[in-house]
Amino acid sequence: MNPEQIEFNKLLSQNQKEASIKACLRAGDDKLKCSGKIIHAHSIQRGKILESIADVSGENEGKIYHLGLAPAEDMQSMQPEFKLQGIKKFSTFTGFCGDHDKAIFQPIEDVAFSATTKQLNIYAYRAAAKELHSILESKAFYEVLLGDKLNVNDFPPHIQMMLPQIKSGEIKVPDFILETMLQEEAKHQIRVLHMQCGHSISELQQICDDLTDAIEREESLGFEHVYHVLDGAFLVACCASFIPYFDHDGSRIISKQEEQRMARSSAASNAEIKNVMLNVFPEGDKTHVIFTFSKGNQSFKASIERLLKLEDEALKIGLSNIVLNYVENSAYGPKYINDNFSPEQIKHIAEVFAVSAFDRSKFRRSGINLFVGRPTATTQ
C-alpha cells in the first residue's frame, strides 16, 4: 500500500468515525425500554448463518468473503474485490440496544425457520433497519464532508449549464476558475446525495414502523412476501433493502420518469414505496429466498413471478443477477467461491457488483450462477 493510500484510508476512517450513528432505532418503543447499551448487532445471523458459511479450517477459518471496493494503486479509481472478514464483525451495525435486539429477533435466531408470517416480517424488518441505519450514517457522512458549506449553494444554475461546455473546451476560462467550478460541482453533488438520503430515510422509517406493527399483529398488512426455496444449502447469504430499477434480466421495471421523480421526493404512502427487502440464507439443507415489498409495488411482483417461472439454472442466474446488482451486504464461503469459480469468473463477479455499487440506477446482466457446485452447509 503506497503512502497516498495510507493517507486516504486514514482520512476516510476519521470521517466515517465522525459520521457513525450509535442509537437504538426502537428507542421510542413504549412496550420495551432501551437498555441504553448499543451493541454491534448482526444483520446476517452469526450463529445460524455466518458460522455455516465461513471456512471451518485453514487460513480462512472463521472468515467469510464479501464484495467491496478498494482504492486502485494509482488512487485514481476504486476497484471491486472479494474481501475476507471474520464473522464476529461482518454485517454488524450499531442500530439497536441489547434488549431490543434480543426481543425483536429471537423468533428467527432461537427457533428453526419455518416461514411463518412473523418470521418473514422479522427478516424483512432487519433488512430495512440495516439499510435505514446505513443511510443515516451516509447522511451524517455527507454533513461531515460539507461542514459549514452544507446549506451554501455556490453552484448556481447558469454555471451548471455552462460547465459541460467548459469541460469540453468549447468555452475557455482560466484554469483557476475551472478548478473552483469543479470543486463547487463536487459539493453540489454531495448536497444532492444528502437530500436523497433524507427521502430514503423517510421511506425506510415508514417501512420499519409498518413492519413493527405487522410483527406485533403477526400479519403482513401492507406488505407481500414471496418465499422460494432452493434445494441444497448453498454458502451464500444476504440481507438487504434496495430499489430495483431493473428486473433479473436487465429490463426496466421503474421508468426513467419515475426514477427522476423518486430522486426529487419521498413516497407519499406505503403503496408508493418501491423498496424491496431481500434475505437469502442456508438453513436445514435448503437455501431460503425471501422477497418483501409493498402490496402496491405490482411491477416488482410481476417481475418476480416471471423469475420464478424459469427453469432451475435460469432462475439461479436471475437471482444471482439481482444479488450482484443490488446487494452490498452479502456473504460467501471463501472455499465455496474458490472451489466453484475460476479466477476469471471471480473477477467477473466483482465487476458486475461494481456497476451498481458506483451507480445504483445501472444494471449489468451476467450469466454467472452463484448457487452452484455441491452444497455443503449443514445448518440446523
Side-chain angles (χ1 to χ4, degrees):
M1 187 178 293
N2 63 43
E4 286 185 330
Q5 283 179 309
I6 295 173
E7 190 59 32
F8 173 84
N9 288 340
K10 285 173 60 178
L11 180 60
L12 178 63
S13 178
Q14 179 60 35
N15 287 340
Q16 288 175 332
K17 185 178 180 180
E18 290 183 39
S20 65
I21 303 290
K22 294 182 179 180
C24 185
L25 296 173
R26 293 286 286 274
D29 189 341
D30 294 331
K31 295 184 179 179
L32 177 66
K33 291 183 179 180
C34 278
S35 66
K37 184 178 180 181
I38 304 302
I39 65 169
H40 287 82
H42 280 81
S43 56
I44 300 176
Q45 296 166 46
R46 177 183 174 184
K48 281 207 301 186
I49 299 176
L50 293 179
E51 284 184 1
S52 72
I53 289 175
D55 281 9
V56 296
S57 62
E59 61 180 350
N60 296 330
E61 182 179 356
K63 297 179 180 178
I64 54 86
Y65 265 153
H66 68 98
L67 287 161
L69 301 172
E73 278 294 323
D74 61 5
M75 298 299 292
Q76 299 301 305
S77 62
M78 299 292 283
Q79 300 294 324
E81 63 181 17
F82 274 101
K83 298 183 176 184
L84 279 168
Q85 190 169 6
I87 62 173
K88 183 178 180 180
K89 292 186 177 181
F90 176 72
S91 86
T92 60
F93 67 110
T94 52
F96 291 106
C97 70
D99 286 358
H100 273 115
D101 183 70
K102 181 68 174 175
I104 296 166
F105 302 113
Q106 190 173 26
I108 60 174
E109 293 190 340
D110 298 342
V111 180
F113 182 71
S114 56
T116 64
T117 298
K118 185 169 187 174
Q119 287 181 324
L120 297 175
N121 284 335
I122 292 172
Y123 268 104
Y125 176 80
R126 178 176 264 172
K130 170 66 167 68
E131 183 67 9
L132 173 58
H133 185 266
S134 295
I135 300 297
L136 285 167
E137 290 198 325
S138 293
K139 184 172 180 284
F141 182 76
Y142 297 140
E143 290 167 3
V144 170
L145 290 181
L146 289 172
D148 59 5
K149 297 293 185 181
L150 177 62
N151 298 312
V152 177
N153 185 4
D154 291 333
F155 195 55
H158 69 280
I159 298 296
Q160 296 178 36
M161 294 176 63
M162 290 173 56
L163 191 56
Q165 293 173 290
I166 294 173
K167 286 180 178 179
S168 67
E170 293 178 47
I171 298 176
K172 301 292 184 182
V173 298
D175 289 344
F176 76 93
I177 292 180
L178 175 59
E179 181 64 26
T180 299
M181 287 181 170
L182 293 175
Q183 290 175 359
E184 295 309 323
E185 179 189 36
K187 292 176 185 176
H188 174 73
Q189 290 171 343
I190 294 173
R191 289 189 196 98
V192 171
L193 291 172
H194 181 267
M195 176 194 69
Q196 291 173 349
C197 280
H199 299 330
S200 297
I201 289 167
S202 175
E203 293 176 352
L204 287 163
Q205 187 62 66
Q206 182 174 346
I207 291 171
C208 287
D209 291 345
D210 290 349
L211 280 169
T212 297
D213 192 25
I215 292 167
E216 290 175 354
R217 297 190 187 191
E218 298 191 27
E219 300 175 6
S220 294
L221 299 179
F223 298 94
E224 187 162 347
H225 304 289
V226 173
Y227 170 58
H228 183 75
V229 176
L230 301 177
D231 288 330
F234 298 97
L235 305 192
V236 178
C238 75
C239 171
S241 174
F242 54 88
I243 296 177
Y245 298 97
F246 303 86
D247 68 6
H248 63 278
D249 212 25
S251 298
R252 268 197 173 272
I253 54 176
I254 294 177
S255 68
K256 281 275 191 181
Q257 293 79 8
E258 180 68 4
E259 181 183 339
Q260 291 167 359
R261 184 204 64 76
M262 290 164 59
R264 295 191 299 267
S265 62
S266 55
S269 65
N270 178 288
E272 295 181 14
I273 291 177
K274 301 297 184 182
N275 294 70
V276 170
M277 281 64 73
L278 171 61
N279 286 274
V280 177
F281 57 93
E283 184 179 335
D285 298 322
K286 304 287 185 183
T287 298
H288 306 271
V289 182
I290 310 166
F291 289 98
T292 304
F293 48 91
S294 163
K295 288 182 178 178
N297 195 352
Q298 290 300 304
S299 59
F300 180 75
K301 180 180 179 179
S303 75
I304 292 303
E305 289 175 345
R306 292 194 298 272
L307 171 66
L308 297 182
K309 288 178 181 178
L310 298 175
E311 296 294 328
D312 185 68
E313 177 73 9
L315 187 155
K316 289 175 179 175
I317 290 173
L319 179 59
S320 300
N321 275 332
I322 291 173
V323 171
L324 290 176
N325 277 277
Y326 293 124
V327 176
E328 293 184 20
N329 187 36
S330 57
Y332 308 84
K335 189 174 187 301
Y336 172 80
I337 291 294
N338 293 327
D339 286 354
N340 288 294
F341 300 94
S342 68
E344 292 75 19
Q345 288 175 315
I346 291 173
K347 180 181 178 182
H348 177 68
I349 290 170
E351 289 172 346
V352 174
F353 163 80
V355 170
S356 57
F358 289 124
D359 185 346
R360 291 197 173 190
S361 65
K362 291 186 177 179
F363 189 97
R364 179 171 175 178
R365 181 182 175 187
S366 169
I368 286 285
N369 174 12
L370 295 173
F371 307 91
V372 296
R374 185 178 179 182
T376 56
T378 55
T379 55
Q380 299 298 320

Tab-separated table of all heavy atoms in Angstrom, residues 278-318:
chain	number	residue	atom	x	y	z
A	278	LEU	N	-34.651	-8.118	0.662
A	278	LEU	CA	-34.262	-9.456	0.210
A	278	LEU	C	-33.399	-10.134	1.260
A	278	LEU	O	-32.401	-9.577	1.717
A	278	LEU	CB	-33.492	-9.361	-1.111
A	278	LEU	CG	-32.838	-10.670	-1.604
A	278	LEU	CD1	-33.892	-11.749	-1.861
A	278	LEU	CD2	-32.016	-10.418	-2.868
A	279	ASN	N	-33.789	-11.341	1.625
A	279	ASN	CA	-32.996	-12.183	2.509
A	279	ASN	C	-32.751	-13.523	1.831
A	279	ASN	O	-33.702	-14.156	1.335
A	279	ASN	CB	-33.712	-12.414	3.842
A	279	ASN	CG	-33.691	-11.185	4.740
A	279	ASN	OD1	-32.745	-10.962	5.483
A	279	ASN	ND2	-34.749	-10.377	4.657
A	280	VAL	N	-31.502	-13.934	1.814
A	280	VAL	CA	-31.111	-15.240	1.279
A	280	VAL	C	-30.221	-15.895	2.333
A	280	VAL	O	-29.288	-15.258	2.834
A	280	VAL	CB	-30.336	-15.109	-0.046
A	280	VAL	CG1	-29.881	-16.487	-0.541
A	280	VAL	CG2	-31.184	-14.419	-1.120
A	281	PHE	N	-30.492	-17.146	2.676
A	281	PHE	CA	-29.662	-17.814	3.685
A	281	PHE	C	-29.853	-19.331	3.622
A	281	PHE	O	-30.923	-19.826	3.280
A	281	PHE	CB	-30.010	-17.312	5.095
A	281	PHE	CG	-31.452	-17.481	5.483
A	281	PHE	CD1	-31.899	-18.606	6.162
A	281	PHE	CD2	-32.386	-16.497	5.155
A	281	PHE	CE1	-33.229	-18.754	6.509
A	281	PHE	CE2	-33.723	-16.636	5.501
A	281	PHE	CZ	-34.155	-17.772	6.182
A	282	PRO	N	-28.787	-20.070	3.950
A	282	PRO	CA	-28.889	-21.530	4.018
A	282	PRO	C	-29.313	-21.974	5.412
A	282	PRO	O	-28.816	-21.477	6.415
A	282	PRO	CB	-27.448	-21.985	3.721
A	282	PRO	CG	-26.594	-20.880	4.258
A	282	PRO	CD	-27.389	-19.601	4.114
A	283	GLU	N	-30.252	-22.894	5.464
A	283	GLU	CA	-30.650	-23.494	6.744
A	283	GLU	C	-31.404	-24.787	6.467
A	283	GLU	O	-32.271	-24.832	5.593
A	283	GLU	CB	-31.539	-22.541	7.559
A	283	GLU	CG	-31.891	-23.097	8.935
A	283	GLU	CD	-32.743	-22.154	9.777
A	283	GLU	OE1	-32.703	-20.927	9.550
A	283	GLU	OE2	-33.455	-22.661	10.657
A	284	GLY	N	-31.039	-25.840	7.183
A	284	GLY	CA	-31.734	-27.106	7.055
A	284	GLY	C	-31.642	-27.739	5.681
A	284	GLY	O	-32.643	-28.215	5.146
A	285	ASP	N	-30.454	-27.736	5.084
A	285	ASP	CA	-30.207	-28.349	3.764
A	285	ASP	C	-31.011	-27.691	2.643
A	285	ASP	O	-31.239	-28.303	1.597
A	285	ASP	CB	-30.503	-29.859	3.799
A	285	ASP	CG	-29.587	-30.587	4.776
A	285	ASP	OD1	-28.400	-30.211	4.858
A	285	ASP	OD2	-30.059	-31.522	5.450
A	286	LYS	N	-31.439	-26.474	2.872
A	286	LYS	CA	-32.121	-25.677	1.848
A	286	LYS	C	-31.503	-24.286	1.820
A	286	LYS	O	-30.843	-23.851	2.761
A	286	LYS	CB	-33.619	-25.544	2.164
A	286	LYS	CG	-34.367	-26.860	2.330
A	286	LYS	CD	-34.572	-27.556	0.999
A	286	LYS	CE	-35.427	-28.819	1.179
A	286	LYS	NZ	-35.595	-29.557	-0.102
A	287	THR	N	-31.727	-23.564	0.729
A	287	THR	CA	-31.387	-22.145	0.677
A	287	THR	C	-32.700	-21.377	0.541
A	287	THR	O	-33.462	-21.592	-0.403
A	287	THR	CB	-30.447	-21.827	-0.495
A	287	THR	OG1	-29.225	-22.535	-0.309
A	287	THR	CG2	-30.150	-20.331	-0.562
A	288	HIS	N	-32.958	-20.529	1.510
A	288	HIS	CA	-34.231	-19.818	1.586
A	288	HIS	C	-34.098	-18.424	0.980
A	288	HIS	O	-33.128	-17.708	1.251
A	288	HIS	CB	-34.676	-19.722	3.043
A	288	HIS	CG	-34.738	-21.055	3.730
A	288	HIS	ND1	-35.864	-21.841	3.720
A	288	HIS	CD2	-33.788	-21.746	4.420
A	288	HIS	CE1	-35.616	-22.962	4.388
A	288	HIS	NE2	-34.371	-22.931	4.823
A	289	VAL	N	-35.062	-18.047	0.180
A	289	VAL	CA	-35.071	-16.753	-0.511
A	289	VAL	C	-36.382	-16.045	-0.173
A	289	VAL	O	-37.466	-16.580	-0.424
A	289	VAL	CB	-34.949	-16.937	-2.039
A	289	VAL	CG1	-34.915	-15.576	-2.733
A	289	VAL	CG2	-33.722	-17.767	-2.394
A	290	ILE	N	-36.268	-14.845	0.395
A	290	ILE	CA	-37.469	-14.090	0.794
A	290	ILE	C	-37.417	-12.687	0.185
A	290	ILE	O	-36.523	-11.895	0.513
A	290	ILE	CB	-37.577	-13.946	2.318
A	290	ILE	CG1	-37.398	-15.291	3.027
A	290	ILE	CG2	-38.915	-13.305	2.696
A	290	ILE	CD1	-37.163	-15.149	4.526
A	291	PHE	N	-38.358	-12.383	-0.677
A	291	PHE	CA	-38.564	-11.026	-1.181
A	291	PHE	C	-39.752	-10.419	-0.436
A	291	PHE	O	-40.799	-11.055	-0.315
A	291	PHE	CB	-38.882	-11.018	-2.675
A	291	PHE	CG	-37.726	-11.372	-3.568
A	291	PHE	CD1	-37.584	-12.668	-4.059
A	291	PHE	CD2	-36.794	-10.419	-3.939
A	291	PHE	CE1	-36.530	-12.995	-4.898
A	291	PHE	CE2	-35.732	-10.737	-4.773
A	291	PHE	CZ	-35.595	-12.035	-5.249
A	292	THR	N	-39.589	-9.201	0.062
A	292	THR	CA	-40.685	-8.494	0.733
A	292	THR	C	-40.827	-7.113	0.116
A	292	THR	O	-39.830	-6.415	-0.087
A	292	THR	CB	-40.413	-8.360	2.245
A	292	THR	OG1	-40.182	-9.658	2.801
A	292	THR	CG2	-41.605	-7.712	2.946
A	293	PHE	N	-42.058	-6.705	-0.168
A	293	PHE	CA	-42.288	-5.428	-0.840
A	293	PHE	C	-43.705	-4.951	-0.566
A	293	PHE	O	-44.561	-5.715	-0.102
A	293	PHE	CB	-42.060	-5.568	-2.351
A	293	PHE	CG	-42.753	-6.755	-2.973
A	293	PHE	CD1	-44.033	-6.638	-3.491
A	293	PHE	CD2	-42.136	-7.994	-3.000
A	293	PHE	CE1	-44.684	-7.725	-4.049
A	293	PHE	CE2	-42.784	-9.099	-3.548
A	293	PHE	CZ	-44.054	-8.974	-4.071
A	294	SER	N	-43.942	-3.686	-0.831
A	294	SER	CA	-45.273	-3.117	-0.655
A	294	SER	C	-46.274	-3.795	-1.589
A	294	SER	O	-45.952	-4.124	-2.736
A	294	SER	CB	-45.229	-1.616	-0.942
A	294	SER	OG	-46.536	-1.107	-1.157
A	295	LYS	N	-47.484	-3.993	-1.099
A	295	LYS	CA	-48.511	-4.585	-1.946
A	295	LYS	C	-48.856	-3.696	-3.141
A	295	LYS	O	-49.425	-4.172	-4.131
A	295	LYS	CB	-49.773	-4.852	-1.122
A	295	LYS	CG	-49.617	-6.021	-0.149
A	295	LYS	CD	-50.896	-6.297	0.628
A	295	LYS	CE	-50.723	-7.505	1.544
A	295	LYS	NZ	-51.929	-7.793	2.352
A	296	GLY	N	-48.475	-2.428	-3.049
A	296	GLY	CA	-48.700	-1.533	-4.181
A	296	GLY	C	-47.648	-1.649	-5.263
A	296	GLY	O	-47.815	-1.098	-6.360
A	297	ASN	N	-46.577	-2.374	-5.012
A	297	ASN	CA	-45.475	-2.498	-5.971
A	297	ASN	C	-45.728	-3.674	-6.917
A	297	ASN	O	-45.026	-4.691	-6.896
A	297	ASN	CB	-44.157	-2.679	-5.219
A	297	ASN	CG	-42.939	-2.448	-6.102
A	297	ASN	OD1	-43.059	-2.298	-7.318
A	297	ASN	ND2	-41.764	-2.422	-5.490
A	298	GLN	N	-46.732	-3.516	-7.754
A	298	GLN	CA	-47.150	-4.607	-8.630
A	298	GLN	C	-46.154	-4.887	-9.757
A	298	GLN	O	-46.055	-6.020	-10.237
A	298	GLN	CB	-48.530	-4.303	-9.216
A	298	GLN	CG	-49.650	-4.362	-8.186
A	298	GLN	CD	-49.779	-5.725	-7.545
A	298	GLN	OE1	-49.946	-6.735	-8.229
A	298	GLN	NE2	-49.684	-5.766	-6.218
A	299	SER	N	-45.410	-3.881	-10.180
A	299	SER	CA	-44.423	-4.116	-11.259
A	299	SER	C	-43.315	-5.031	-10.769
A	299	SER	O	-42.857	-5.910	-11.516
A	299	SER	CB	-43.838	-2.781	-11.733
A	299	SER	OG	-43.205	-2.090	-10.669
A	300	PHE	N	-42.886	-4.867	-9.508
A	300	PHE	CA	-41.859	-5.769	-8.990
A	300	PHE	C	-42.435	-7.167	-8.782
A	300	PHE	O	-41.780	-8.169	-9.087
A	300	PHE	CB	-41.284	-5.252	-7.676
A	300	PHE	CG	-40.228	-6.167	-7.110
A	300	PHE	CD1	-38.960	-6.203	-7.670
A	300	PHE	CD2	-40.516	-7.015	-6.055
A	300	PHE	CE1	-37.992	-7.074	-7.180
A	300	PHE	CE2	-39.557	-7.885	-5.555
A	300	PHE	CZ	-38.289	-7.909	-6.129
A	301	LYS	N	-43.659	-7.249	-8.266
A	301	LYS	CA	-44.294	-8.551	-8.074
A	301	LYS	C	-44.349	-9.327	-9.390
A	301	LYS	O	-44.018	-10.524	-9.435
A	301	LYS	CB	-45.703	-8.377	-7.513
A	301	LYS	CG	-46.432	-9.710	-7.290
A	301	LYS	CD	-47.831	-9.494	-6.740
A	301	LYS	CE	-48.528	-10.839	-6.548
A	301	LYS	NZ	-49.903	-10.674	-5.979
A	302	ALA	N	-44.714	-8.641	-10.462
A	302	ALA	CA	-44.793	-9.299	-11.773
A	302	ALA	C	-43.414	-9.784	-12.217
A	302	ALA	O	-43.280	-10.862	-12.809
A	302	ALA	CB	-45.378	-8.334	-12.804
A	303	SER	N	-42.377	-9.001	-11.927
A	303	SER	CA	-41.023	-9.393	-12.333
A	303	SER	C	-40.556	-10.636	-11.576
A	303	SER	O	-39.886	-11.506	-12.143
A	303	SER	CB	-40.040	-8.236	-12.112
A	303	SER	OG	-39.731	-8.057	-10.736
A	304	ILE	N	-40.899	-10.749	-10.289
A	304	ILE	CA	-40.520	-11.918	-9.505
A	304	ILE	C	-41.313	-13.140	-9.953
A	304	ILE	O	-40.792	-14.266	-9.988
A	304	ILE	CB	-40.718	-11.650	-8.000
A	304	ILE	CG1	-39.712	-10.608	-7.531
A	304	ILE	CG2	-40.552	-12.924	-7.178
A	304	ILE	CD1	-38.254	-10.964	-7.783
A	305	GLU	N	-42.552	-12.938	-10.298
A	305	GLU	CA	-43.349	-14.055	-10.826
A	305	GLU	C	-42.737	-14.589	-12.111
A	305	GLU	O	-42.713	-15.808	-12.346
A	305	GLU	CB	-44.795	-13.606	-11.055
A	305	GLU	CG	-45.557	-13.375	-9.745
A	305	GLU	CD	-46.952	-12.809	-9.955
A	305	GLU	OE1	-47.224	-12.325	-11.087
A	305	GLU	OE2	-47.755	-12.839	-9.009
A	306	ARG	N	-42.217	-13.689	-12.963
A	306	ARG	CA	-41.531	-14.134	-14.185
A	306	ARG	C	-40.271	-14.918	-13.829
A	306	ARG	O	-39.966	-15.932	-14.456
A	306	ARG	CB	-41.172	-12.934	-15.068
A	306	ARG	CG	-42.349	-12.225	-15.693
A	306	ARG	CD	-41.922	-11.276	-16.815
A	306	ARG	NE	-41.049	-10.207	-16.335
A	306	ARG	CZ	-41.496	-9.043	-15.864
A	306	ARG	NH1	-42.813	-8.817	-15.790
A	306	ARG	NH2	-40.660	-8.102	-15.472
A	307	LEU	N	-39.530	-14.433	-12.837
A	307	LEU	CA	-38.296	-15.107	-12.426
A	307	LEU	C	-38.586	-16.527	-11.940
A	307	LEU	O	-37.892	-17.483	-12.326
A	307	LEU	CB	-37.619	-14.301	-11.311
A	307	LEU	CG	-36.421	-14.955	-10.613
A	307	LEU	CD1	-35.251	-15.112	-11.581
A	307	LEU	CD2	-35.990	-14.130	-9.400
A	308	LEU	N	-39.607	-16.680	-11.110
A	308	LEU	CA	-39.884	-17.978	-10.506
A	308	LEU	C	-40.480	-18.993	-11.477
A	308	LEU	O	-40.554	-20.187	-11.156
A	308	LEU	CB	-40.820	-17.801	-9.305
A	308	LEU	CG	-40.243	-16.973	-8.143
A	308	LEU	CD1	-41.239	-16.896	-6.990
A	308	LEU	CD2	-38.919	-17.546	-7.661
A	309	LYS	N	-40.865	-18.559	-12.655
A	309	LYS	CA	-41.368	-19.479	-13.682
A	309	LYS	C	-40.240	-20.103	-14.496
A	309	LYS	O	-40.470	-21.035	-15.268
A	309	LYS	CB	-42.332	-18.749	-14.618
A	309	LYS	CG	-43.677	-18.404	-13.987
A	309	LYS	CD	-44.560	-17.641	-14.964
A	309	LYS	CE	-45.897	-17.271	-14.312
A	309	LYS	NZ	-46.754	-16.476	-15.234
A	310	LEU	N	-39.013	-19.599	-14.307
A	310	LEU	CA	-37.877	-20.094	-15.092
A	310	LEU	C	-37.427	-21.466	-14.611
A	310	LEU	O	-37.679	-21.869	-13.476
A	310	LEU	CB	-36.709	-19.106	-14.990
A	310	LEU	CG	-36.944	-17.691	-15.526
A	310	LEU	CD1	-35.731	-16.814	-15.234
A	310	LEU	CD2	-37.234	-17.716	-17.027
A	311	GLU	N	-36.724	-22.180	-15.509
A	311	GLU	CA	-36.105	-23.440	-15.113
A	311	GLU	C	-35.027	-23.172	-14.065
A	311	GLU	O	-34.541	-22.052	-13.921
A	311	GLU	CB	-35.493	-24.126	-16.334
A	311	GLU	CG	-36.501	-24.551	-17.392
A	311	GLU	CD	-37.436	-25.635	-16.891
A	311	GLU	OE1	-36.998	-26.459	-16.055
A	311	GLU	OE2	-38.608	-25.654	-17.322
A	312	ASP	N	-34.620	-24.219	-13.338
A	312	ASP	CA	-33.750	-24.078	-12.177
A	312	ASP	C	-32.483	-23.278	-12.453
A	312	ASP	O	-32.165	-22.328	-11.731
A	312	ASP	CB	-33.373	-25.464	-11.645
A	312	ASP	CG	-32.566	-25.384	-10.360
A	312	ASP	OD1	-33.117	-24.979	-9.336
A	312	ASP	OD2	-31.368	-25.729	-10.395
A	313	GLU	N	-31.746	-23.619	-13.494
A	313	GLU	CA	-30.484	-22.929	-13.792
A	313	GLU	C	-30.722	-21.465	-14.128
A	313	GLU	O	-30.026	-20.576	-13.621
A	313	GLU	CB	-29.767	-23.622	-14.946
A	313	GLU	CG	-28.475	-22.953	-15.405
A	313	GLU	CD	-27.320	-23.127	-14.432
A	313	GLU	OE1	-27.455	-23.915	-13.470
A	313	GLU	OE2	-26.282	-22.468	-14.634
A	314	ALA	N	-31.720	-21.195	-14.970
A	314	ALA	CA	-32.020	-19.812	-15.353
A	314	ALA	C	-32.517	-19.007	-14.161
A	314	ALA	O	-32.188	-17.820	-14.014
A	314	ALA	CB	-33.060	-19.793	-16.477
A	315	LEU	N	-33.285	-19.653	-13.285
A	315	LEU	CA	-33.777	-18.970	-12.088
A	315	LEU	C	-32.601	-18.563	-11.187
A	315	LEU	O	-32.547	-17.439	-10.680
A	315	LEU	CB	-34.739	-19.882	-11.338
A	315	LEU	CG	-35.494	-19.297	-10.144
A	315	LEU	CD1	-36.797	-20.072	-9.915
A	315	LEU	CD2	-34.676	-19.317	-8.864
A	316	LYS	N	-31.651	-19.474	-11.018
A	316	LYS	CA	-30.489	-19.185	-10.168
A	316	LYS	C	-29.630	-18.075	-10.764
A	316	LYS	O	-29.088	-17.237	-10.032
A	316	LYS	CB	-29.660	-20.447	-9.959
A	316	LYS	CG	-30.337	-21.473	-9.065
A	316	LYS	CD	-29.530	-22.763	-8.989
A	316	LYS	CE	-30.204	-23.784	-8.069
A	316	LYS	NZ	-29.497	-25.083	-8.078
A	317	ILE	N	-29.507	-18.048	-12.081
A	317	ILE	CA	-28.756	-16.968	-12.733
A	317	ILE	C	-29.482	-15.634	-12.532
A	317	ILE	O	-28.867	-14.612	-12.230
A	317	ILE	CB	-28.566	-17.267	-14.235
A	317	ILE	CG1	-27.597	-18.442	-14.421
A	317	ILE	CG2	-28.042	-16.031	-14.983
A	317	ILE	CD1	-27.470	-18.927	-15.849
A	318	GLY	N	-30.808	-15.655	-12.682
A	318	GLY	CA	-31.584	-14.431	-12.472
A	318	GLY	C	-31.475	-13.936	-11.049
A	318	GLY	O	-31.298	-12.734	-10.809
